[in-house]
Structures are given as C-alpha cells and as structure tokens.
Amino acid sequence: QVQLVESGGGLVQPGGSLGLSCAASGTVFSINAMAWYRQAPGKQRELVAAIPSGGRTTYADSVKGRFTISRDNAKNAVYLRMSSLKPEDTAVYYCNALIRLAAIGRDANYWGQGTQVTVSS
C-alpha cells in the first residue's frame, strides 16, 4: 500500500523560512504530478504549488516569489521551500500526488496526512 509521508512544518516567526518534505512509501510504477495544498481554519483547501513530471511549475498568486516547489523522482519525493512567511500562510499543508502502481493501470490521487504550519510572533 502506498502512502504519502510528510515531514517538516511547525512554528515560525513572520519573515522566516520553513521547509516541507513528502515522500511516497511503498512500491510505485510512476508518479505524475505532485503538489502542495493548504487549508486554513474555516477556509477551503487551496492549491499552493504544483510540479508535473515534466514541464513548468505553477504557484498560487499569494505565494509566488516566496515559495519553491521541487521534486526528486529517484526518491519519489516532493519538497516545498517557504520563505518570507506571513501570518496568512498559517494552515495545514497537504502533499498530493497522482500515482500509478503498475504499468497497466491508471493514476490514482493520493494525499498526505497534513502538517501544521503556523506563522506567528
């Protein structure tokens, strides 16, 4: 069974930096797009950044220039580097990936367990 395991997160002061990591555990055939989402209290989950298996990364307007998404295909991992953090970045951050388990099959949508990021002085 495949799981997305997240690490990182925590409490950081405004203007600070933080990194999130997410790796797929178990055997996978391939991973297509990978992404980070976030959900603040009382708000809907929103896309923060996405990185396809090939092609350009995309970012929410609110994080452009401050966050960087990257991936390591050899490790089946995706990362989110966050800098110049603001209180409004406070949320639970979720890793997401489209994973194919076998050569004959379809991509399935997987989610990490979520990790809390709190930006506060």
Side-chain angles (χ1 to χ4, degrees):
Q1 184 174 354
V2 173
Q3 291 183 320
L4 294 179
V5 180
E6 300 178 24
S7 60
L11 175 64
V12 62
Q13 293 186 342
S17 298
L18 206 58
L20 303 180
S21 299
C22 172
S25 65
T27 302
V28 305
F29 176 75
S30 64
I31 300 181
N32 195 344
M34 304 186 82
W36 288 95
Y37 286 74
R38 68 185 180 187
Q39 187 166 18
K43 294 187 177 180
Q44 289 188 333
R45 190 173 297 189
E46 63 175 356
L47 176 67
V48 175
I51 183 168
S53 56
R56 298 177 61 181
T57 55
T58 58
Y59 295 92
D61 288 343
S62 59
V63 306
K64 282 181 181 177
R66 300 188 299 120
F67 289 13
T68 302
I69 188 171
S70 61
R71 63 189 286 173
D72 184 334
N73 292 329
K75 297 181 178 179
N76 292 330
V78 63
Y79 309 97
L80 187 68
R81 181 64 181 172
M82 304 178 290
S83 60
S84 301
L85 282 160
K86 305 174 182 180
E88 49 264 43
D89 295 317
T90 296
V92 177
Y93 283 71
Y94 296 91
C95 170
N96 173 265
L98 292 175
I99 298 175
R100 183 172 299 185
L101 300 183
I104 300 177
R106 297 180 178 179
D107 291 349
N109 202 25
Y110 287 81
W111 291 92
Q113 79 279 9
T115 185
Q116 178 70 45
V117 172
T118 302
V119 184
S120 176
S121 55

